[in-house]
Amino acid sequence: MASDQSQPPLIQITHVSRHYQAGDTVVKALDDVTLTINRGEFVAVMGQSGSGKSTLMNILGCLDTPTSGCFRVNGHNVADMTPDQLAALRLKTFGFVFQRYQLLAPLTARENVALPATYAHVPSEERLERAELLLDKLGLGERAGHKPGELSGGQQQRVSIARAMINGAEVILADEPTGALDSDSGKQVLALLKQLNEEGSTVILITHDAEVAKHADRQIEIRDGRIQADTAPAPTLDMPATTDAPTAFASVGLIESVVIALKALRFNWFRTALTLLGIIIGVGAVVAMMAIGEGGKQQVLNRIESMGTNLLLLRPGGGNTRSSGEMATLTVQDGEAVSRLPGVSYVAPERNSRATIRFGNRDYNGRIQGTTPDYIHVRDWGMARGVFFTQQDMDSMAPVIVIGQTVAEELFTNGEEPIGQYVFLKSAVYQVIGVLEAKGATSGGSDMDEMMLIPLSTGRVRVFGRDHLSTITIKVESTDQLDEVQASVERLMLQRHGREDFMVRNTASLIEAVGETQDTMTWLLGSVAAISLFVGGIGVMNIMLVSVSERRREIGLRMATGAKPGDILRQFNIEALVVCCFGGAVGLLLGVGVAWLLGQFNIAIAFSLLPPVLAFASAVLVGIVFGHAPARQASRLNPIDALAED
Ligand code: ADP
Ligand code: MG
């Protein structure tokens, strides 16, 4: 080395070997190579196929590391650098030109050229501008908006040279750049490399062709991994050089990553749509199922609440027998005794049955209930028209009936006035004296508005035949007395019957119990839906894995042009996340839409904030969790292998 040289040489490799283990044998692709390349040189590395040229280039370009020996760039030992520093070297110091161009098909020439600048944090507009200038300079200005498929081989190679230069590379590494070109295009490319060299770039041209090698100022011949011949190195140019150790670049910003992800997803839109489907269905199912479950719960609770609050229900049956409806233990006398307890405001003994009521030629099958005049007080129920029966009606066993809204609507369809009409019930005639206010709680078996009420005394003889009661409903003066009165009712009944052949329930505990059962249902539905979301997540992972293996070349290229493993990891993570967020959002809309539609068909629906938030959060989590394995696989890809594939 010349003594006046203050700067270390650009590239200095000493005793570098690269051995491959191929089965039992060791292939010495490079064998003890020592070589110095100075700034501003135009070097051709020449040799037959299999002589180790590409191996040398991969080591020079920091895509591969030597098995032994030392490689310095600007005086810094590459072995001491972190992977991120190596990425920075590939980004700023080296520019690759490949035999097969390695342009990304979905991107325009301009975007291909601009790609490496993404990793150098050049803002989008500036990098496209710079790309445009470079393409102009290489005579491709008019082709900037074309995709690689629309360009000739020579044009594509010039695009790839522009790409190698976008970050102001000091060294252009060209591996057989003319290998795939016809001789005219080849000459153009060589002339271009010569021009770049004259403008100050160091060019390392790799070729098997001695004719091509002649274009360089210095020829190094290699055979079987050893340097065979080397025309003397040119003295280093007196030009400023960066001799600081390379500093790693920060990762590509979030917005930039999302833009990259969106482009990739749009290019593979069909695959993206399939991936989305799993997430959309999963999130949609969670939202719709939870709305249905919640709706069912609200409905049942409304129905219970519409019976009235501060109520105690006294029913026949043991404390733990459920099917106790037919036990004949509860009597009218029990009701009278209970009504005398302190804290009790009203008591309504009830006896239920189902029966068909007839007016003219119209029938209605509903719930017939015998009770006392206090019933409407117990139930806080008002009259829509007419009156409720009185104690006199009770005493005289009057054949009168009070009907619910639904019954009235079903029987008196021609706008007849119900009050005063005679109806048939169990082959006896009753006069309608009142129509109850609508309770509104409609659905399933216990529509309160399908009720038909007759005096208990009348019904005992004519309808029910037997004496016992189905329920005694007790209204307590105030809610705080509920427990107290419940206890005294239990005491009294135990005293009267001598055994516990009854049970007392209060509506509060009923609401609680029903609410719990319904919650269980809701969560059951929700978890079935959540499983589908999980399956959707596996779908995301599956398709991302396919995507990674399909895009190996893209990943390899991004790494060769300066992307850090972390950038690749991030890119694929964000792709998965974008899919899941988008799928989640569409799924939310779908779920709400389906639930709303079901609501139109009289299925009870209730929306609450939690299920959609949970479902969306799960979708995002699915993206993070299931996107990670493919993303990690992508980031660990070896760019040499990826780029070597056809
Ligand atoms: P060239 O580019 O000059 O054609 P290469 O550098 O690609 O040669 O290969 C040099 C030698 O190393 C060849 O014998 C090749 O078979 C071998 N080689 C290259 N890559 C690998 C690898 N990944 N594993 C095993 N052997 C390899
Ligand atoms: Mg090769």
Side-chain angles (χ1 to χ4, degrees):
M1 236 173 284
S3 56
D4 62 325
Q5 195 177 330
S6 54
Q7 291 170 347
L10 177 61
I11 285 171
Q12 188 176 39
I13 61 179
T14 34
H15 305 296
V16 160
S17 295
R18 177 66 170 98
H19 296 172
Y20 292 110
Q21 192 74 42
D24 285 342
T25 56
V26 173
V27 180
K28 296 181 175 177
L30 279 184
D31 191 13
D32 194 27
V33 171
T34 297
L35 181 66
T36 300
I37 295 175
N38 289 317
R39 252 173 289 289
E41 282 200 85
F42 187 179
V43 185
V45 176
M46 188 174 42
Q48 289 174 344
S49 173
S51 54
K53 307 181 297 292
S54 293
T55 305
L56 178 63
M57 149 135 161
N58 289 336
I59 287 176
L60 291 178
C62 301
L63 288 172
D64 196 6
T65 45
T67 314
S68 62
C70 177
F71 169 31
R72 290 175 186 275
V73 178
N74 284 322
H76 300 284
N77 191 344
V78 166
D80 297 338
M81 295 183 195
T82 64
D84 286 359
Q85 280 179 311
L86 292 177
L89 266 187
R90 293 197 291 269
L91 184 65
K92 289 299 265 187
T93 308
F94 297 105
F96 282 94
V97 177
F98 304 92
Q99 178 172 357
R100 306 193 144 269
Y101 333 126
Q102 306 286 10
L103 301 176
L104 300 186
L107 304 187
T108 61
R110 189 192 297 117
E111 289 168 331
N112 264 294
V113 173
L115 181 81
T118 314
Y119 298 105
H121 298 265
V122 180
S124 168
E125 248 169 62
E126 192 186 327
R127 39 175 214 263
L128 289 175
E129 228 164 79
R130 231 193 254 177
E132 195 102 29
L133 281 177
L134 273 172
L135 285 170
D136 251 347
K137 183 177 160 190
L138 303 197
L140 283 173
E142 312 211 315
R143 299 275 163 170
H146 290 221
K147 302 227 164 133
E150 300 157 1
L151 301 175
S152 74
Q155 288 170 331
Q156 290 188 62
Q157 195 57 300
R158 278 186 281 160
V159 171
S160 99
I161 292 172
R163 181 181 60 196
M165 295 165 59
I166 186 94
N167 286 326
E170 282 178 78
V171 186
I172 290 179
L173 288 169
D175 191 353
E176 305 274 11
T178 58
L181 300 179
D182 60 77
S183 66
D184 276 353
S185 308
K187 274 181 196 142
Q188 270 186 8
V189 165
L190 288 170
L192 188 56
L193 291 175
K194 180 80 195 156
Q195 184 194 338
L196 295 177
N197 174 248
E198 277 160 7
E199 288 169 10
S201 300
T202 307
V203 176
I204 301 175
L205 169 66
I206 285 174
T207 179
H208 66 277
D209 185 345
E211 283 301 310
V212 171
K214 275 185 192 154
H215 288 80
D217 302 329
R218 172 184 173 192
Q219 286 85 20
I220 299 171
E221 201 186 328
I222 104 172
R223 186 182 301 166
D224 296 333
R226 288 175 158 272
I227 291 183
Q228 207 66 28
D230 185 357
T231 59
T236 191
L237 284 186
D238 190 20
M239 55 191 289
T242 45
T243 47
D244 296 338
T247 44
F249 280 77
S251 287
V252 171
L254 190 66
I255 294 173
E256 189 79 67
S257 304
V258 171
V259 170
I260 295 174
L262 285 175
K263 269 190 194 148
L265 292 171
R266 204 183 53 195
F267 181 66
N268 280 305
W269 66 268
F270 187 66
R271 187 161 66 200
T272 305
L274 285 180
T275 319
L276 280 173
L277 209 60
I279 298 298
I280 291 173
I281 291 173
V283 171
V286 169
V287 171
M289 290 296 190
M290 296 297 274
I292 292 167
E294 195 58 31
K297 175 183 167 182
Q298 292 300 333
Q299 188 179 38
V300 172
L301 293 184
N302 286 345
R303 210 186 296 151
I304 295 171
E305 267 164 20
S306 74
M307 291 182 350
T309 46
N310 354 336
L311 296 186
L312 292 174
L313 303 177
L314 174 55
R315 290 196 168 132
N320 38 22
T321 42
R322 264 183 167 261
S323 55
S324 48
E326 285 310 306
M327 285 179 66
T329 54
L330 222 51
T331 63
V332 175
Q333 288 72 35
D334 289 332
E336 280 162 6
V338 167
S339 72
R340 286 189 292 271
L341 285 172
V344 171
S345 57
Y346 294 102
V347 167
E350 295 164 21
R351 171 77 189 148
N352 296 316
S353 171
R354 289 198 78 85
T356 300
I357 181 174
R358 162 173 287 228
F359 172 73
N361 57 1
R362 284 186 294 276
D363 280 346
Y364 183 78
N365 184 273
R367 242 163 84 200
I368 179 88
Q369 183 160 310
T371 187
T372 60
D374 279 348
Y375 181 85
I376 50 170
H377 302 303
V378 168
R379 296 289 180 162
D380 273 328
W381 211 339
M383 302 300 296
R385 33 157 60 101
V387 293
F388 204 73
F389 44 80
T390 60
Q391 193 56 43
Q392 274 158 6
D393 295 323
M394 281 292 287
D395 293 343
S396 62
M397 293 190 260
V400 291
I401 188 165
V402 172
I403 56 177
Q405 274 299 330
T406 310
V407 185
E409 282 161 20
E410 293 289 328
L411 285 186
F412 305 103
T413 46
N414 296 339
E416 300 100 334
E417 171 57 49
I419 308 299
Q421 302 284 6
Y422 289 93
V423 293
F424 282 98
L425 178 68
K426 297 250 178 189
S427 59
V429 176
Y430 290 76
Q431 187 174 25
V432 178
I433 58 166
V435 177
L436 290 161
E437 264 177 1
K439 273 284 190 188
T442 58
S443 142
S446 45
D447 179 355
M448 293 291 277
D449 294 329
E450 64 164 21
M451 197 78 92
M452 301 177 271
L453 298 168
I454 55 174
L456 185 62
S457 52
T458 317
R460 200 150 63 192
V461 180
R462 299 191 184 198
V463 181
F464 307 120
R466 290 162 74 185
D467 224 8
H468 63 270
L469 301 174
S470 314
T471 311
I472 296 173
T473 308
I474 302 153
K475 180 160 185 159
V476 176
E477 276 164 12
S478 78
T479 319
D480 353 315
Q481 285 173 288
L482 214 58
D483 292 337
E484 202 182 305
V485 175
Q486 180 168 354
S488 60
V489 169
E490 279 165 0
R491 260 196 315 276
L492 176 74
M493 290 299 294
L494 204 55
Q495 200 185 345
R496 288 177 61 85
H497 289 201
R499 63 197 177 98
E500 206 172 317
D501 57 357
F502 60 89
M503 52 189 179
V504 187
R505 292 272 177 276
N506 63 57
T507 35
S509 68
L510 202 62
I511 285 173
E512 202 176 309
V514 169
E516 274 168 20
T517 331
Q518 289 289 325
D519 277 346
T520 314
M521 272 303 293
T522 306
W523 285 107
L524 208 70
L525 286 175
S527 36
V528 170
I531 289 170
S532 78
L533 188 56
F534 182 77
V535 173
I538 294 174
V540 170
M541 180 154 78
N542 196 1
I543 292 179
M544 289 296 295
L545 284 172
V546 171
S547 171
V548 167
S549 67
E550 256 182 30
R551 286 159 63 192
R552 286 167 64 88
R553 257 154 43 117
E554 174 198 332
I555 297 163
L557 178 80
R558 285 180 185 273
M559 285 181 158
T561 55
K564 293 176 298 179
D567 288 322
I568 301 296
L569 183 75
R570 193 170 192 174
Q571 179 184 336
F572 280 87
N573 269 329
I574 285 180
E575 268 184 38
L577 206 59
V578 165
V579 166
C580 289
C581 284
F582 186 65
V586 176
L588 283 186
L589 291 179
L590 182 79
V592 170
V594 165
W596 177 85
L597 205 69
L598 289 174
Q600 301 304 299
F601 290 102
N602 265 334
I603 292 171
I605 292 298
F607 290 109
S608 52
L609 195 61
L610 189 65
V613 168
L614 267 184
F616 189 78
S618 308
V620 172
L621 201 70
V622 158
I624 293 171
V625 171
F626 288 96
H628 191 67
R632 211 180 47 180
Q633 200 185 67
S635 72
R636 288 182 175 180
L637 208 70
N638 182 350
I640 303 170
D641 296 342
L643 288 170
E645 282 165 13
D646 226 359

